[in-house]
Amino acid sequence: MRAFRPQKTFVPANTGGVFSLPVRRASSSNGAGSVEPAIGLRKRREHETNSEGSEYASATRDVVQRSREELASIIKAHPTSKPTLAVIQAGDDDGMLDTNKKMAGKTHAAVCRDFLPLGWPECDADMSATALRRGGAWACVALQVMDEVQRLNEDPAVHAVLLALPPSILSRRLLNTIKPEKDVDGLSDLNVGRMISGDLSEGFLSPVVGAVMELLARYDGPLAGKRVVLLGLEGPLKAIFQSLLEREGVEVRASQWNPDALQKQVRQADVLVAMGTGPVALPQTCFKPGMTLINCGPAVTPGFSVGVEQRVEAEFWAEIGPLSAALRMQNVVKSFARWAEQQRYRPWTLRPLKLQPLSPVPSDVEISRAQVPKPIWQLAEEVGLLPQELEAYGRSKAKVGLALLARLRHQPNGKYVLVAGITPTPLGEGKSTVTIGLVQALSAHLKLNSFACLRQPSQGPTFGVKGGAAGGGYAQVIPMEEFNLHLTGDIHAITAANNLVAAAVDARILHEATQSDKALYRRLVPTINGVRRFSAIQLRRLQRLGINKSDPGALTPEEVSSFVRLDIDPAKVTWQRVIDTNDRFLRKVTIGQAPTEKGHSRQTQFDIAVASEIMAILALADGLADMKARLGRMVVGSSRSGRPVTADDLGVTGALAVLMKDAVKPTLMQSLEGTPVFVHAGPFANIAHGNSSILADRLALKLVGEEGYVVTEAGFGADIGMEKFFNVKCRASGLRPDVVVLVATVRALKMHGGGPSVTAGLPLPREYTEENLKLVSEGCSNLKKQIEIAHLFGVPVVVALNIFKTDTQAEIDLVCRVAQASGAVAAVPCHHWARGGRGSVDLARAVKEAAAQENGFRFLYSLQTPITEKIRTVAQKVYGADDIELSPEAQAKIDYYNQQGYDTLPICMAKTHLSLSHIPDKKGVPTGFILPIRDVRASIGAGFIYPLVG
C-alpha cells in the first residue's frame, strides 16, 4: 500500500503501523469553524505520479483556472473593483493567512488581515461584568471580533470574511455574525441549512468539504452504491458531508474515535473520511483493498509488521490546504460575482397598496391616516435599491445614498415628465395632486415603473393659509404629517448652515474692527503643538490674493494684512439670517445691541429658510463635492473696495458641507397606492427657481429604467416654474424633458376670464360654483399662452384638467377643445382627487403617447447673451411685455456683474406668480406693459442672476 505526498520520505517500520500527517488548525477540528487540515489519501493503484502531475495538483489548478476565467469576465464590467477576502486572525500563526494570500495571488483576488493580539492581560474597562463572568478576557476578544465582523459586513469593498481564530473564541454565535453572503467557509447556520436542503445556488459549500468531494470525484468516479465512513466529524461539517453523500446515493455511517468500534465499520468502507484528535493504530486487515482514505486530521494507516531495519518507501499526499484555499477563493469570486450582479439594474417587483375611495371624500388627513404605508425597506427593495443604499428614518421614510448613481451609471434614463400649470389662483391648482395621481396611475394601474419627485414643503406655507404640499384627496404622499413637518431635517440643516454664515460675517466684522493684524493672524493661523501651518482653505485664499507662499512665517506685514482683513462693508452685507416660520416681526431687525458687541450694530432682516441660497444650491448640486464647491462660491457681501466676499473667504466652506452632508441625499417616501416618491429640496418659484433637486431626478431616472417615467413638478405657473426648470435646472443637470403636463382648473380659467377675486380662507363667489361658459372661454387665453410658452422650448404638452365637483361637463368639454386646438397633444379630465390613480389612467396613457414622440428641446437664450438681453428675452417671449425698464440700481448691478465675470450665468426672474405681468391683479394675458426691473442680484453659488421685478 502507498500513501502520497510531494516529496519522497521513509517511514520507519517500527512506527507500530501509525504515522501522522501535519494538521494546521485555525480553530477547532469538530466542524465548528474554519480548518486548514492536512489530507492523506491512500488507494491501491497500479500507477502513481508525483505531486506535479497528480490528480490533486490538477484539481487545484483546475479550480484556480475556473476562478480566474470567471473573475476576468466580471472585471470587464467592474474594472475598479477586486474580490477581497478579509481574514480576522488572532495570534501570530500566519499559516492560514499565507496559504490564502498565495492562492489569492494565483486567482487575482485580494486578501486583507485584521489582526487581534492574543494574551491580553485584562479586559477593557468598558466591557460588561456579564461578559467577564461568561468568559473573562476571551469573551472580550470575542466581542471585539463580533464588532469587527459587523464592520466588515457593511463594507462594500469586502466580499468575504474568514475567521482564523482558536476554539476558545470561536462559537456558533460568532460564525452566525458573518453575513451569509460573505460566509465563504459556508459554516453559518443559513449556509449549512442551504447545503443540507440542496440549495446549492445561494450559499457556499465549505472549502474542506469541497476539497474532499473534488478528490473523491476524481479518484473514485461515481459514488452511488458505495459506503463512506465519517470518522470523528461533528457539527456542520458532518451534516454537510452526510447530506451531500446521501444525495449521491452513498451509504453513510458516522463513527467516533474508538478503535474497537471502528474495525468493523472500516472493513466495510469504500471510503474513510477522518478528522479528529488521533492518531489511532488499526491493523492492516481492517482496510478493504482499494479503499480510499482521506485524513482531515491525524492520519489513520494500516499497521506494518516488518523488521526494524526494513524501511517502507511511502509517498504522502500534499496537504489539503492549497486545494481548500483554492476552493475558498472560488467562493470569494462567487461572492464577488453576486455582488457584481447586485450592482446591475434590478427589475421592479412593486406591489401597490389597495385603495378603496369613499364618497363623499374624507379630509386629507383622514385619508392619509386610514392607509397603512408599507415598510420603507420593502418599498426600497421593490424598486431595486440595495440595503446599503438606504438610511432609514423610522418606518416610513429613508435617505437614499448617492452611490446609486455610480452603481447604475450605465443604465439608460427613463422618460422625464414635467408637471407645470397655468397662472394659479391663491388657492393653487393642484400640481402636486396631479403629479401623485399620475404616478399612481402609471405604476399601480398601467404597471409601468414611475417615480414622483416633489419639493419638501416649507413650514411657512404649511402653517399658513395654503397648508401642506403632500397632494390631496386620494392622491397624496403618506404619512402626510411626516411629509409636511420636519421630514428628515433638510430644512433645519439649511437653516443651521445659513445662520452659521451670518454669524461668521458679523463676527468677522467685529474682530477686524477691534484687533490688530498681528492678533488676527495669530488667531487665524495658530501654533498647534509647536507647528504653525495654513489650512487648505487658507491656501486657496492666499492664491486668490496672488500670494504664492505656504509658510506662515514667510508673509510680509502687507501680505499678512491683506490675508487677515476681508474689510467687509456692513452696508453691503447681502447675507440674511433665515427661519422656517412666518414671523412678520423679523422682517426688519437690529442686531449687535449687546454691550459685548461694542456698538457694532446694524439693521438686517430674516428671510424664510427656503429662500436661502443654500436651498437653491441643494436643488442644483450634482453631488457632495459639487455642493461643497458651490457653498464656497456663495457671495455674502462686498468689501469697502468693492471686491466680493465669499463663504470660502470666511473659511466656513467645510463646516457648511458637514452640516449639509445628509441633506444632500433625497428622501424616499410613498404615495397612497404604495408607489415611490422622492422628496428633496424646496426652493420657491417666485424668489428662486422653484424645482425639486437634480439629484432626486437623476436617481429616479436610473431606478425606473429605460421604459419608466419620472414625474417632477415646477412651482407656480409655467411662466415661472417651467421657464426656470428649462433655463436654469436643465442647464445645470444636462437632462432633457420628454413632455410637459400643464395643469388647469375651471375655477382658475374663470378668474382669468374676468371672475371676481379669489381670496384664500374665504368662500368662493358663486361664479366659481355655477356653470359660466363665458368666463371659462375668455379665461382660456391664459391656457393658450402657457401652451405657447412650453412650445417655445420645443416640448409637447398634455393638458391635465383637475376636476372639482362644481365643474360641469360643458365647462370640461370646452376647456379640452380649446387646449387641443391650441396645440396640446391631448387634454384629459382628471379625477385622481376622488378616485386615486384610477382617476388619472387616461392622463397616464396620454403622457405615455406624448413622451414617445420626438421633441426638439431648446433653451430660450444662450448663456453668452448679455444679461440685459437675457432679461428682455424672458420678459417679451414668456411674459408678453413690450420691453423692460432697468432702474439705475439694477443697471449698476449689471455693470458690476459684467466686471466680475458673472455675465454668463442664466437668469432666474423673481416675479409675482399671480399674473403673467408684474402686477398681481392683471389676469388673463396682459399686453402693452413695460416690465420694471428694480434690482438685480446674484446667487453665485447656486449659479444664477436673479432680477427683482416690480
Side-chain angles (χ1 to χ4, degrees), residues 83 107 162 389 424 431 541 828:
T107 314
L162 174 64
E389 293 167 343
K431 292 190 303 299
R541 171 159 170 74
V828 185

Side-chain angles (χ1 to χ4, degrees), residues 788-906:
E788 177 188 317
I789 293 170
H791 287 162
L792 288 173
F793 297 91
V795 184
V797 178
V798 172
V799 171
L801 185 59
N802 193 13
I803 301 300
F804 288 76
K805 60 183 179 181
T806 55
D807 300 342
T808 68
Q809 191 60 48
E811 292 171 332
I812 294 170
D813 293 342
L814 173 60
V815 174
C816 292
R817 286 198 305 272
V818 171
Q820 289 186 285
S822 302
V825 173
V828 185
C830 301
H831 301 271
H832 45 269
W833 183 80
R835 304 176 193 170
R838 191 174 300 279
S840 283
V841 168
D842 290 341
L843 174 64
R845 291 195 176 103
V847 167
K848 181 182 177 183
E849 292 178 8
Q853 299 178 5
E854 292 291 331
N855 73 66
F857 175 76
R858 55 188 174 272
F859 295 116
L860 194 60
Y861 53 78
S862 166
L863 291 180
Q864 306 307 316
T865 303
I867 294 175
T868 301
E869 289 308 308
K870 292 174 190 171
I871 298 172
R872 181 174 284 112
T873 297
V874 174
Q876 292 178 335
K877 292 188 176 181
V878 177
Y879 306 152
D882 288 345
D883 204 352
I884 61 173
E885 182 180 23
L886 297 173
S887 70
E889 183 179 6
Q891 185 61 61
K893 290 284 188 68
I894 290 174
D895 294 340
Y896 174 73
Y897 296 145
N898 288 334
Q899 179 186 355
Q900 295 297 325
Y902 302 151
D903 54 312
T904 57
L905 295 177

Side-chain angles (χ1 to χ4, degrees), residues 503 506-507 509-511 513-514 577 590-602:
D506 287 305
I509 292 172
L510 172 66
H511 292 154
T514 57
R577 288 164 172 80
T590 301
I591 61 172
Q593 298 191 76
T596 52
E597 275 56 73
K598 304 176 183 179
H600 291 277
S601 62
R602 68 182 182 90

Side-chain angles (χ1 to χ4, degrees), residues 32-182:
S34 304
V35 178
E36 289 288 20
I39 180 169
L41 175 60
R42 192 211 118 263
K43 189 174 178 76
R44 192 180 296 275
R45 301 182 53 150
E46 303 223 345
H47 175 70
E48 295 114 358
T49 62
N50 62 27
S51 65
E52 291 301 318
S54 69
E55 290 289 344
Y56 172 79
S58 174
T60 304
R61 287 196 301 270
D62 290 349
V63 172
V64 170
Q65 185 61 30
R66 286 199 303 267
S67 298
R68 292 179 64 171
E69 290 173 358
E70 183 178 3
L71 182 56
S73 64
I74 303 170
I75 291 296
K76 288 181 182 178
H78 302 274
T80 60
S81 300
K82 192 173 188 178
T84 300
L85 168 67
V87 179
I88 299 180
Q89 175 183 332
D92 298 325
D93 184 2
D94 292 333
M96 174 178 283
L97 182 68
D98 292 342
T99 301
N100 284 285
K101 276 189 172 181
K102 182 178 179 181
M103 200 57 63
K106 294 180 179 180
T107 314
H108 297 165
V111 173
C112 61
R113 182 185 73 162
D114 284 333
F115 177 75
L116 297 174
L118 292 179
W120 291 349
E122 58 183 2
C123 225
D124 289 347
D126 61 346
M127 294 298 176
S128 68
T130 302
L132 286 171
R133 285 195 301 270
R134 289 180 177 175
W138 285 124
C140 299
V141 177
L143 290 174
Q144 295 273 344
V145 172
M146 200 170 294
D147 290 341
E148 185 62 18
V149 168
Q150 290 171 344
R151 184 188 70 80
L152 294 170
N153 281 342
E154 302 307 318
D155 187 346
V158 172
H159 308 100
V161 178
L162 174 64
L163 302 181
L165 304 173
S168 51
I169 298 178
L170 206 60
S171 65
R172 299 303 307 160
R173 181 185 176 195
L174 196 53
L175 285 168
N176 286 322
T177 305
I178 304 175
K179 278 188 173 180
E181 57 267 32
K182 296 189 178 186

